[in-house]
Amino acid sequence: MKTITFDQKKTSSIALEFDELITDNIYAWTEEDFAEYKVPIGNSRFPITDYFDITVEGEAESPAEVKMILNGDCNRVKYIGCKMSAGEVVVNGDADLHVGAEMSGGIVTVFGNVAAHAGREMKGGKLEIMGNTKEFCGASYIGEWRGMSGGEIIIHGNAGKQCGECLVGGKIHVLGDCDILAGIHMTKGTIEIDGNVNRWPGGQMKNGNIVIHGKVGRLLEGFVEQGIVTDPELDGVTYPGRYIEYKGDIALNGKGTLLIDAEKNRDRLSTWIEEDDEYNAIREYRDQ
């Protein structure tokens, strides 16, 4: 096993680009190799050792045998773990744009907050964010219509707008709250949100699953109520509890499944009997 540790010496007002510094490329590098490397910053390159002290310990015969550790405030370091296929990356602090973007394998863990486009177009592996993430997590990139297609993203904090946009596979689990339009344009995969959702989850979704355990502020009119389901199973995973089930988005002839916690969204129900804890009926959407 090989450990490559980056200890931050100073930050840059212009973001450093780490798309070349992934386990696939540097698994055989020595400290001398890093001393000669110049990192892209804007339209120029500067020695990486101007910004980090780099320590290499152990040996590796493949990217899978590398653990890359970044210590410091990396909120001006972009593309950490971008396109990696194996190995492990640990960021002990915040990170900038495109963390884990297009990764196909391995593990990226960020012990802080991350900027936009985390895990965009991800194909495999695991991205775990201990803080919050901004918009377009697990989404497509500008001009593209395929977002995350495989792997797993876990966000322990809150997620920004359009989380899982154009999702075509894999799973995103947000343990906190989520902003507007989670799962917009999704065609496959699963988004699970433990907290509250601002509004409009699943807009224009064609297929896939969205499970919301918190309160939903507003739903789009393109979702058709199906009734109450108990302990539903989606793609082999059981979600304990009772949920109001919707199908949609019918504006696109969508057949996606949207489940929202029945207790926390009971105001959407016409009747709630406290004595036996039963729902009698589902009413039409309220005027929002």
Side-chain angles (χ1 to χ4, degrees), residues 127-204:
L127 171 61
E128 189 162 11
I129 300 163
M130 298 303 176
N132 304 319
T133 181
K134 291 187 178 179
E135 58 269 23
F136 307 118
C137 179
S140 64
Y141 197 46
I142 299 168
E144 299 292 336
W145 285 94
R146 287 178 59 85
M148 177 182 176
S149 59
E152 180 182 20
I153 298 177
I154 302 173
I155 304 161
H156 288 256
N158 303 322
K161 66 181 181 181
Q162 293 180 235
C163 178
E165 177 202 34
C166 297
L167 189 75
V168 295
K171 180 174 182 179
I172 300 175
H173 189 180
V174 181
L175 278 68
D177 298 334
C178 198
D179 206 344
I180 64 172
L181 294 170
I184 183 174
H185 303 305
M186 69 183 287
T187 57
K188 199 175 179 182
T190 298
I191 300 175
E192 183 178 8
I193 302 167
D194 289 1
N196 302 322
V197 175
N198 191 336
R199 57 190 183 275
W200 307 323
Q204 298 187 333

Side-chain angles (χ1 to χ4, degrees), residues 200-253:
W200 307 323
Q204 298 187 333
M205 71 184 293
K206 292 183 179 179
N207 216 320
N209 309 304
I210 300 178
V211 181
I212 301 171
H213 302 291
K215 174 73 174 174
V216 179
R218 182 174 178 179
L219 291 175
L220 289 166
E221 290 76 8
F223 285 88
V224 179
E225 301 164 341
Q226 303 296 303
I228 295 292
V229 291
T230 302
D231 300 336
E233 182 179 317
L234 300 173
D235 294 338
V237 177
T238 299
Y239 296 89
R242 292 196 295 181
Y243 300 84
I244 309 173
E245 181 181 9
Y246 300 87
K247 291 289 185 179
D249 186 337
I250 61 172
L252 276 74
N253 296 318

